[in-house]
Amino acid sequence: MNEDGDLVAVIGDEDTVTGFLLAGVGHVDERQRLNYLVVGERTTDDEIADAFKAFTSTREDVAVVLITQVIADRIRHLVDAHSRAIPSVLEIPDKENPYRPESDSVLSRVRHLLGGDGT
Amino acid sequence: MSNQNRLQVAPTVTQLAVIKLRLQGAVRGHALLKKKADALTLRHRAVLKAIVERKTTLGEIMREAHFSWTRARHAGGESVKHAVLDGVERAKVRVRASEENVAGVKIPKFFLRDTGAEQRRMELAGLGRGGARVREARGAFEKAMTLLSELASLQTAFVTLDEAIRTTNRRVNALENYVTPRLQNTVKYILGELDELEREEFFRLKKVQAKKKRDVEQAEREVAEIVADDEALRIASEELRAYDDVVRGEGGRGAGGNLIETEQDEDLLF
């Protein structure tokens, strides 16, 4: 664990990632590894999966992974399989698509536990 | 009956004390764990509510952030985007995890932390046009980051608590349905065995007592017989003496008579 604190990783479309980079989460380490992935039109599911795995299991300095919901849907099996507390994976809405609580992997568990519609 | 579901112990008083102590410990542990599970569940519910609440606000905040970013892009053109994407150096915003203790379960909590790392190249974004808009967008995303770090804390708490509750409940159930009945059965078994032993002992003592009584009676009877024999002997000898007296005609003078006073002796005629 870094004494300065841990990083926030972002996987998302260009606008979302740029926004968070603007806020200052971006980081390039000594080995030129990025803590974000811009998913464009030509990004394959494998690339997303690799980045997600890197952020969630390989890299020790990532504590929070932000992933837009549309992209999370593309690697849903990985997101759902991630059960460890740290890093915590947060699904965020992107620009074009409104936030859909029903497909959020954590919220669906929450709702399952609370019963009913979870509000 | 409870042969399977009990500990293999020797049924002694010492073991009974040991098992009873263990049973007491199990019962107390069960109560404590139950309390812990309750505390965790309480917290868990609170976290769940907070998550649902935050997730709903997240939608709005993100929409706002995206909107302001779009305005910034519109004002600054594509160059702003490139300036931002190229401007990544050291992370300015990091999260720091600290631990919070709920009923013995450590829950990580994230704090957003400004490392103060200079982002000189990032500052250049929007320098040409739309600087104010870019600043706005930055503010909006920073706000979103704050909410997201809270949400991350809650979510980690949720996952950690979930796991903790599951293990605690497993322990509670194990104590309730396996350990405690097993110990209770053992106590029952030992008590039963001890009772059995006591009954055996009682029976044995009875037997011993009966035997002793019989022996005493026998001895008494023998003594009585001897006494009776003696009595009979005495009577017989007395009678014999009386008979002797009668035979010697010395009525009451005792056997033998006087050998010196011969004149009183009757002549013996052969």
Side-chain angles (χ1 to χ4, degrees):
Chain A
M1 196 173 276
N2 195 301
E3 58 188 61
D4 275 342
D6 294 329
L7 294 173
V8 177
V10 190
I11 301 175
D13 62 279
E14 196 177 47
D15 282 319
T16 310
V17 173
T18 324
F20 282 108
L21 292 184
L22 192 65
V25 301
H27 187 81
V28 185
D29 67 5
E30 292 78 9
R31 282 144 74 182
Q32 298 300 310
R33 290 183 304 182
L34 305 175
N35 71 334
Y36 58 90
L37 176 74
V38 176
V39 178
E41 277 167 21
R42 271 171 300 177
T43 314
T44 62
D45 287 1
D46 283 345
E47 284 173 89
I48 302 169
D50 284 345
F52 184 78
K53 278 184 209 153
F55 293 151
T56 49
S57 37
T58 321
R59 286 184 68 158
E60 296 289 319
D61 55 350
V62 175
V64 179
V65 178
L66 305 177
I67 183 165
T68 57
Q69 215 165 29
V70 179
I71 293 159
D73 282 342
R74 285 170 67 177
I75 52 161
R76 181 52 67 191
H77 59 289
L78 282 175
V79 179
D80 283 345
H82 177 79
S83 56
R84 284 188 304 146
I86 294 179
S88 81
V89 175
L90 290 176
E91 291 178 35
I92 52 174
D94 64 13
K95 200 163 75 175
E96 276 93 27
N97 307 283
Y99 187 61
R100 288 165 298 115
E102 58 277 0
S103 70
D104 189 304
S105 71
V106 171
L107 263 193
S108 59
R109 271 166 76 189
V110 169
R111 237 194 322 282
H112 175 72
L113 283 165
L114 279 180
D117 59 358
T119 45
Chain B
M1 81 208 158
S2 56
N3 216 18
Q4 280 86 33
N5 197 16
R6 67 168 169 83
L7 298 171
Q8 290 298 322
V9 290
T12 61
V13 180
T14 335
Q15 278 294 346
L16 180 65
V18 171
I19 300 291
K20 270 193 173 166
L21 218 65
R22 281 180 62 182
L23 182 60
Q24 222 173 40
V27 168
R28 192 177 310 148
H30 176 254
L32 279 173
L33 278 176
K34 196 127 205 178
K35 239 181 233 172
K36 176 180 172 177
D38 284 349
L40 289 179
T41 315
L42 204 72
R43 186 57 188 262
H44 194 238
R45 298 230 148 225
V47 166
L48 288 185
K49 279 222 177 73
I51 285 185
V52 172
E53 201 183 288
R54 293 291 197 298
K55 284 260 176 186
T56 326
T57 32
L58 177 69
E60 283 166 37
I61 293 216
M62 283 308 292
R63 198 164 49 236
E64 229 169 82
H66 281 305
F67 187 53
S68 66
W69 170 243
T70 313
R71 274 191 305 192
R73 250 177 81 164
H74 183 72
E78 287 295 293
S79 70
V80 178
K81 185 181 84 191
H82 293 304
V84 170
L85 283 175
D86 292 341
V88 177
E89 289 165 276
R90 292 261 164 274
K92 185 163 168 290
V93 175
R94 284 169 179 264
V95 285
R96 170 163 248 176
S98 74
E99 280 176 342
E100 198 189 347
N101 200 334
V102 175
V105 180
K106 291 199 174 69
I107 294 170
K109 204 169 160 65
F110 294 120
F111 287 104
L112 214 55
R113 197 168 172 282
D114 196 332
T115 55
E118 277 189 57
Q119 294 192 306
R120 246 172 279 144
R121 277 154 70 190
M122 194 76 84
E123 297 290 322
L124 295 179
L127 191 66
R129 285 184 294 157
R133 292 286 183 228
V134 170
R135 248 198 319 280
E136 253 172 47
R138 177 178 296 151
F141 271 98
E142 274 166 4
K143 199 170 143 200
M145 253 337 281
T146 319
L147 184 76
L148 281 169
S149 85
E150 268 176 41
L151 203 51
S153 302
L154 288 170
Q155 206 171 292
T156 353
F158 167 74
V159 174
T160 320
L161 281 172
D162 207 32
E163 186 61 33
I165 285 172
R166 224 172 296 157
T167 35
T168 314
N169 277 340
R170 204 156 43 222
R171 280 187 198 151
V172 168
N173 284 337
L175 276 174
E176 196 172 296
N177 300 321
Y178 184 74
V179 178
T180 316
R182 219 166 131 87
L183 286 171
Q184 273 165 349
N185 278 340
T186 313
V187 167
K188 246 186 246 163
Y189 159 73
I190 292 180
L191 282 176
E193 286 293 290
L194 284 178
D195 273 359
E196 181 75 25
L197 277 176
E198 205 174 313
R199 273 197 295 278
E200 262 172 36
E201 183 71 10
F202 186 67
F203 185 68
R204 200 175 65 83
L205 282 175
K206 274 255 185 194
K207 275 276 190 205
V208 169
Q209 212 176 26
K211 171 99 169 54
K212 272 190 178 158
K213 209 172 162 190
R214 220 169 39 235
D215 282 358
V216 167
E217 272 169 9
Q218 175 88 25
E220 270 173 3
R221 217 177 303 131
E222 269 168 23
V223 167
E225 254 169 45
I226 289 168
V227 168
D229 283 359
D230 277 1
E231 186 69 17
L233 216 67
R234 203 178 51 81
I235 291 168
S237 68
E238 249 169 42
E239 253 167 44
L240 223 78
R241 199 183 298 168
Y243 174 71
D244 244 20
D245 289 350
V246 169
V247 165
R248 285 170 206 267
E250 296 284 328
R253 263 198 301 136
N258 199 336
L259 290 179
I260 301 161
E261 294 170 72
T262 40
E263 62 269 24
Q264 281 179 11
D265 280 348
E266 278 176 56
D267 293 328
L268 285 172
L269 295 173
F270 293 103

